[in-house]
Amino acid sequence: MKDTGMIIETTPVVVSEIGAFTQTVTKNSDETYDVSATLPPMTYQTVEIVDGATTANNLIAGTDVTITKSGLVSLPYTLRFTKDDEAYDVQMYTKTLTQSGDKLSVSVSDATQATLFFTPSGATAEQSQDIGTFTEVQISQLGDYRMEITTATGFEFTNVLNVNEGSIA
């Protein structure tokens, strides 16, 4: 069952190799995500949402390409396309998570709930922590961090930020 209050259509993303394209992300009630990306007309050999499944092959030149994937377990996702035998990977997210010393932050207006996701260095399991409406947090461990923020109008999700040795002041 879809939670229709948790759908976002982002402003067009511009990637120098392909131009502008759009993405729509739906957060489902089972905490999975459905994504759809529409790329401009061009000759692609393949287009896929990377998590091991959906691929669009033999794409028709001169028409938009829309690719969808249901049931992603985490964000951000990677959009991979091949053009002229060259593969391109584009990490898809709506906000940029930044680090300054021992603080992580993301610029989001009207946050109603935020979750910090963390995978410690050397671990494979991701942990999550409800951080209320905070969009800036203090950290003390090395590893990969990302955030998901619910707003009054939908949700935002960040890139994965690797915090490594020497970067926490």
Side-chain angles (χ1 to χ4, degrees):
M1 180 174 146
K2 304 259 193 294
D3 179 354
T4 57
M6 299 295 279
I7 298 173
I8 58 168
E9 183 168 336
T10 64
T11 56
V13 176
V14 177
V15 176
S16 60
E17 294 83 4
I18 62 173
F21 62 95
T22 59
Q23 65 176 335
T24 302
V25 180
T26 304
K27 184 174 182 180
N28 302 315
S29 59
D30 65 356
E31 298 296 316
T32 63
Y33 305 88
D34 298 342
V35 298
S36 174
T38 301
L39 288 72
M42 191 177 289
T43 305
Y44 303 99
Q45 292 159 303
T46 63
V47 177
E48 63 185 306
I49 293 172
V50 178
D51 84 327
T54 306
T55 304
N57 287 306
N58 302 319
L59 305 169
I60 301 168
T63 62
D64 285 350
V65 174
T66 299
I67 185 166
T68 61
K69 175 66 181 154
S70 298
L72 291 173
V73 295
S74 71
L75 296 173
Y77 68 95
T78 300
L79 181 67
R80 176 176 294 150
F81 65 95
T82 307
K83 177 180 153 274
D84 301 325
D85 294 322
E86 187 76 29
Y88 299 90
D89 281 358
V90 180
Q91 190 179 56
M92 302 300 295
Y93 51 88
T94 62
K95 295 291 179 179
T96 302
L97 184 63
T98 60
Q99 177 187 3
S100 178
D102 64 349
K103 290 187 175 50
L104 300 179
S105 63
V106 61
S107 179
V108 176
S109 299
D110 303 325
T112 59
Q113 193 272 326
T115 304
L116 178 68
F117 295 90
F118 169 62
T119 305
S121 291
T124 56
E126 184 178 67
Q127 305 167 19
S128 65
Q129 178 67 47
D130 180 346
I131 56 173
T133 59
F134 292 103
T135 56
E136 181 176 284
V137 294
Q138 189 169 8
I139 58 169
S140 61
Q141 294 183 321
L142 306 179
D144 293 332
Y145 290 85
R146 66 183 181 88
M147 291 178 81
E148 184 175 303
I149 302 97
T150 302
T151 68
T153 57
F155 69 99
E156 305 285 354
F157 55 98
T158 71
N159 55 304
V160 174
L161 181 67
N162 178 265
V163 175
N164 53 38
E165 188 130 11
S167 67
I168 299 176

